[in-house]
PDB file of all heavy atoms in Angstrom:
ATOM      1  N   ALA M  79     115.532 107.501  93.884  1.00  0.00           N
ATOM      2  CA  ALA M  79     114.718 108.720  93.919  1.00  0.00           C
ATOM      3  C   ALA M  79     113.729 108.819  92.978  1.00  0.00           C
ATOM      4  O   ALA M  79     112.440 109.239  93.227  1.00  0.00           O
ATOM      5  CB  ALA M  79     115.713 109.943  93.924  1.00  0.00           C
ATOM      6  N   ALA M  80     114.032 108.422  91.717  1.00  0.00           N
ATOM      7  CA  ALA M  80     112.985 108.430  90.660  1.00  0.00           C
ATOM      8  C   ALA M  80     111.868 107.388  90.947  1.00  0.00           C
ATOM      9  O   ALA M  80     110.698 107.771  90.732  1.00  0.00           O
ATOM     10  CB  ALA M  80     113.559 108.191  89.298  1.00  0.00           C
ATOM     11  N   GLY M  81     112.225 106.298  91.497  1.00  0.00           N
ATOM     12  CA  GLY M  81     111.267 105.273  91.867  1.00  0.00           C
ATOM     13  C   GLY M  81     110.341 105.757  92.995  1.00  0.00           C
ATOM     14  O   GLY M  81     109.109 105.590  92.898  1.00  0.00           O
ATOM     15  N   GLU M  82     110.909 106.444  93.995  1.00  0.00           N
ATOM     16  CA  GLU M  82     110.082 107.033  95.001  1.00  0.00           C
ATOM     17  C   GLU M  82     109.084 108.085  94.489  1.00  0.00           C
ATOM     18  O   GLU M  82     107.932 108.090  94.873  1.00  0.00           O
ATOM     19  CB  GLU M  82     110.950 107.564  96.207  1.00  0.00           C
ATOM     20  CG  GLU M  82     110.186 108.030  97.329  1.00  0.00           C
ATOM     21  CD  GLU M  82     109.396 106.901  98.051  1.00  0.00           C
ATOM     22  OE1 GLU M  82     109.730 105.716  98.016  1.00  0.00           O
ATOM     23  OE2 GLU M  82     108.290 107.270  98.519  1.00  0.00           O
ATOM     24  N   ARG M  83     109.612 108.947  93.559  1.00  0.00           N
ATOM     25  CA  ARG M  83     108.759 109.941  92.979  1.00  0.00           C
ATOM     26  C   ARG M  83     107.603 109.334  92.278  1.00  0.00           C
ATOM     27  O   ARG M  83     106.474 109.736  92.357  1.00  0.00           O
ATOM     28  CB  ARG M  83     109.593 110.835  92.111  1.00  0.00           C
ATOM     29  CG  ARG M  83     110.342 111.994  92.874  1.00  0.00           C
ATOM     30  CD  ARG M  83     110.824 113.010  91.837  1.00  0.00           C
ATOM     31  NE  ARG M  83     111.714 112.504  90.793  1.00  0.00           N
ATOM     32  CZ  ARG M  83     113.034 112.245  90.951  1.00  0.00           C
ATOM     33  NH1 ARG M  83     113.639 112.401  92.076  1.00  0.00           N
ATOM     34  NH2 ARG M  83     113.602 111.728  89.906  1.00  0.00           N
ATOM     35  N   ALA M  84     107.949 108.344  91.457  1.00  0.00           N
ATOM     36  CA  ALA M  84     106.928 107.598  90.598  1.00  0.00           C
ATOM     37  C   ALA M  84     105.872 107.015  91.507  1.00  0.00           C
ATOM     38  O   ALA M  84     104.659 107.010  91.237  1.00  0.00           O
ATOM     39  CB  ALA M  84     107.583 106.601  89.778  1.00  0.00           C
ATOM     40  N   LYS M  85     106.356 106.380  92.657  1.00  0.00           N
ATOM     41  CA  LYS M  85     105.409 105.776  93.605  1.00  0.00           C
ATOM     42  C   LYS M  85     104.445 106.791  94.294  1.00  0.00           C
ATOM     43  O   LYS M  85     103.246 106.665  94.272  1.00  0.00           O
ATOM     44  CB  LYS M  85     106.146 105.078  94.726  1.00  0.00           C
ATOM     45  CG  LYS M  85     105.335 104.443  95.847  1.00  0.00           C
ATOM     46  CD  LYS M  85     106.212 103.922  96.881  1.00  0.00           C
ATOM     47  CE  LYS M  85     105.449 103.677  98.154  1.00  0.00           C
ATOM     48  NZ  LYS M  85     106.362 103.261  99.267  1.00  0.00           N
ATOM     49  N   ARG M  86     105.010 107.933  94.703  1.00  0.00           N
ATOM     50  CA  ARG M  86     104.214 109.031  95.276  1.00  0.00           C
ATOM     51  C   ARG M  86     103.275 109.531  94.197  1.00  0.00           C
ATOM     52  O   ARG M  86     102.019 109.704  94.573  1.00  0.00           O
ATOM     53  CB  ARG M  86     105.059 110.178  95.701  1.00  0.00           C
ATOM     54  CG  ARG M  86     105.497 110.079  97.195  1.00  0.00           C
ATOM     55  CD  ARG M  86     106.083 111.423  97.634  1.00  0.00           C
ATOM     56  NE  ARG M  86     106.851 112.170  96.702  1.00  0.00           N
ATOM     57  CZ  ARG M  86     108.148 112.032  96.488  1.00  0.00           C
ATOM     58  NH1 ARG M  86     108.882 111.221  97.184  1.00  0.00           N
ATOM     59  NH2 ARG M  86     108.804 112.797  95.649  1.00  0.00           N
ATOM     60  N   ASP M  87     103.623 109.739  92.988  1.00  0.00           N
ATOM     61  CA  ASP M  87     102.753 110.298  91.971  1.00  0.00           C
ATOM     62  C   ASP M  87     101.591 109.298  91.687  1.00  0.00           C
ATOM     63  O   ASP M  87     100.489 109.687  91.590  1.00  0.00           O
ATOM     64  CB  ASP M  87     103.551 110.587  90.646  1.00  0.00           C
ATOM     65  CG  ASP M  87     104.455 111.774  90.796  1.00  0.00           C
ATOM     66  OD1 ASP M  87     104.381 112.452  91.785  1.00  0.00           O
ATOM     67  OD2 ASP M  87     105.258 111.914  89.853  1.00  0.00           O
ATOM     68  N   GLY M  88     102.007 108.057  91.571  1.00  0.00           N
ATOM     69  CA  GLY M  88     100.908 106.997  91.327  1.00  0.00           C
ATOM     70  C   GLY M  88      99.795 106.881  92.439  1.00  0.00           C
ATOM     71  O   GLY M  88      98.755 106.719  92.253  1.00  0.00           O
ATOM     72  N   MET M  89     100.426 106.939  93.720  1.00  0.00           N
ATOM     73  CA  MET M  89      99.565 106.817  94.837  1.00  0.00           C
ATOM     74  C   MET M  89      98.657 108.144  94.902  1.00  0.00           C
ATOM     75  O   MET M  89      97.410 107.940  95.202  1.00  0.00           O
ATOM     76  CB  MET M  89     100.367 106.765  96.180  1.00  0.00           C
ATOM     77  CG  MET M  89     101.223 105.467  96.220  1.00  0.00           C
ATOM     78  SD  MET M  89     100.683 104.226  97.260  1.00  0.00           S
ATOM     79  CE  MET M  89     100.744 104.909  98.837  1.00  0.00           C
ATOM     80  N   ALA M  90      99.157 109.209  94.553  1.00  0.00           N
ATOM     81  CA  ALA M  90      98.315 110.457  94.540  1.00  0.00           C
ATOM     82  C   ALA M  90      97.261 110.408  93.574  1.00  0.00           C
ATOM     83  O   ALA M  90      96.018 110.690  93.787  1.00  0.00           O
ATOM     84  CB  ALA M  90      99.197 111.726  94.292  1.00  0.00           C
ATOM     85  N   ARG M  91      97.614 109.833  92.293  1.00  0.00           N
ATOM     86  CA  ARG M  91      96.576 109.675  91.253  1.00  0.00           C
ATOM     87  C   ARG M  91      95.430 108.735  91.648  1.00  0.00           C
ATOM     88  O   ARG M  91      94.220 108.915  91.553  1.00  0.00           O
ATOM     89  CB  ARG M  91      97.150 109.276  89.989  1.00  0.00           C
ATOM     90  CG  ARG M  91      97.868 110.376  89.218  1.00  0.00           C
ATOM     91  CD  ARG M  91      98.236 109.968  87.748  1.00  0.00           C
ATOM     92  NE  ARG M  91      99.000 108.612  87.739  1.00  0.00           N
ATOM     93  CZ  ARG M  91     100.370 108.613  87.854  1.00  0.00           C
ATOM     94  NH1 ARG M  91     101.043 109.775  88.119  1.00  0.00           N
ATOM     95  NH2 ARG M  91     100.960 107.474  87.776  1.00  0.00           N
ATOM     96  N   ALA M  92      95.840 107.558  92.310  1.00  0.00           N
ATOM     97  CA  ALA M  92      94.948 106.580  92.763  1.00  0.00           C
ATOM     98  C   ALA M  92      94.102 107.130  93.875  1.00  0.00           C
ATOM     99  O   ALA M  92      92.793 106.940  93.897  1.00  0.00           O
ATOM    100  CB  ALA M  92      95.625 105.350  93.284  1.00  0.00           C
ATOM    101  N   GLU M  93      94.574 107.901  94.823  1.00  0.00           N
ATOM    102  CA  GLU M  93      93.789 108.526  95.900  1.00  0.00           C
ATOM    103  C   GLU M  93      92.767 109.544  95.300  1.00  0.00           C
ATOM    104  O   GLU M  93      91.694 109.616  95.714  1.00  0.00           O
ATOM    105  CB  GLU M  93      94.744 109.215  96.837  1.00  0.00           C
ATOM    106  CG  GLU M  93      93.998 109.708  98.095  1.00  0.00           C
ATOM    107  CD  GLU M  93      94.959 110.233  99.169  1.00  0.00           C
ATOM    108  OE1 GLU M  93      96.166 110.221  99.001  1.00  0.00           O
ATOM    109  OE2 GLU M  93      94.374 110.663 100.221  1.00  0.00           O
ATOM    110  N   GLN M  94      93.131 110.235  94.376  1.00  0.00           N
ATOM    111  CA  GLN M  94      92.237 111.313  93.763  1.00  0.00           C
ATOM    112  C   GLN M  94      90.979 110.567  93.065  1.00  0.00           C
ATOM    113  O   GLN M  94      89.949 111.178  92.935  1.00  0.00           O
ATOM    114  CB  GLN M  94      92.968 112.122  92.729  1.00  0.00           C
ATOM    115  CG  GLN M  94      94.012 113.110  93.317  1.00  0.00           C
ATOM    116  CD  GLN M  94      94.853 113.772  92.284  1.00  0.00           C
ATOM    117  OE1 GLN M  94      94.897 113.428  91.143  1.00  0.00           O
ATOM    118  NE2 GLN M  94      95.630 114.668  92.724  1.00  0.00           N
ATOM    119  N   ARG M  95      91.209 109.421  92.495  1.00  0.00           N
ATOM    120  CA  ARG M  95      90.189 108.650  91.832  1.00  0.00           C
ATOM    121  C   ARG M  95      89.350 107.743  92.808  1.00  0.00           C
ATOM    122  O   ARG M  95      88.419 107.093  92.403  1.00  0.00           O
ATOM    123  CB  ARG M  95      90.782 107.770  90.743  1.00  0.00           C
ATOM    124  CG  ARG M  95      91.321 108.541  89.569  1.00  0.00           C
ATOM    125  CD  ARG M  95      91.673 107.767  88.468  1.00  0.00           C
ATOM    126  NE  ARG M  95      92.366 106.532  88.772  1.00  0.00           N
ATOM    127  CZ  ARG M  95      93.823 106.350  88.756  1.00  0.00           C
ATOM    128  NH1 ARG M  95      94.579 107.336  88.340  1.00  0.00           N
ATOM    129  NH2 ARG M  95      94.370 105.170  89.010  1.00  0.00           N
ATOM    130  N   THR M  96      89.676 107.835  94.042  1.00  0.00           N
ATOM    131  CA  THR M  96      88.909 107.019  95.114  1.00  0.00           C
ATOM    132  C   THR M  96      87.638 107.662  95.565  1.00  0.00           C
ATOM    133  O   THR M  96      87.666 108.826  96.002  1.00  0.00           O
ATOM    134  CB  THR M  96      89.904 106.733  96.219  1.00  0.00           C
ATOM    135  OG1 THR M  96      90.958 106.047  95.711  1.00  0.00           O
ATOM    136  CG2 THR M  96      89.201 105.722  97.208  1.00  0.00           C
ATOM    137  N   ALA M  97      86.617 106.960  95.505  1.00  0.00           N
ATOM    138  CA  ALA M  97      85.295 107.487  96.010  1.00  0.00           C
ATOM    139  C   ALA M  97      85.387 107.748  97.513  1.00  0.00           C
ATOM    140  O   ALA M  97      85.915 106.796  98.260  1.00  0.00           O
ATOM    141  CB  ALA M  97      84.096 106.478  95.705  1.00  0.00           C
ATOM    142  N   PRO M  98      85.019 108.866  98.021  1.00  0.00           N
ATOM    143  CA  PRO M  98      85.104 109.209  99.423  1.00  0.00           C
ATOM    144  C   PRO M  98      84.337 108.114 100.289  1.00  0.00           C
ATOM    145  O   PRO M  98      84.850 107.717 101.330  1.00  0.00           O
ATOM    146  CB  PRO M  98      84.475 110.519  99.548  1.00  0.00           C
ATOM    147  CG  PRO M  98      84.714 111.188  98.274  1.00  0.00           C
ATOM    148  CD  PRO M  98      84.526 110.050  97.257  1.00  0.00           C
ATOM    149  N   SER M  99      83.233 107.570  99.788  1.00  0.00           N
ATOM    150  CA  SER M  99      82.498 106.629 100.595  1.00  0.00           C
ATOM    151  C   SER M  99      83.293 105.275 100.686  1.00  0.00           C
ATOM    152  O   SER M  99      83.284 104.697 101.788  1.00  0.00           O
ATOM    153  CB  SER M  99      81.123 106.366  99.873  1.00  0.00           C
ATOM    154  OG  SER M  99      81.329 105.892  98.599  1.00  0.00           O
TER     155      SER M  99
END
Side-chain angles (χ1 to χ4, degrees):
E82 187 58 34
R83 278 192 306 276
K85 175 184 162 186
R86 264 195 327 268
D87 292 349
M89 297 254 294
R91 282 192 308 274
E93 188 174 358
Q94 290 168 351
R95 292 189 314 261
T96 302
S99 58

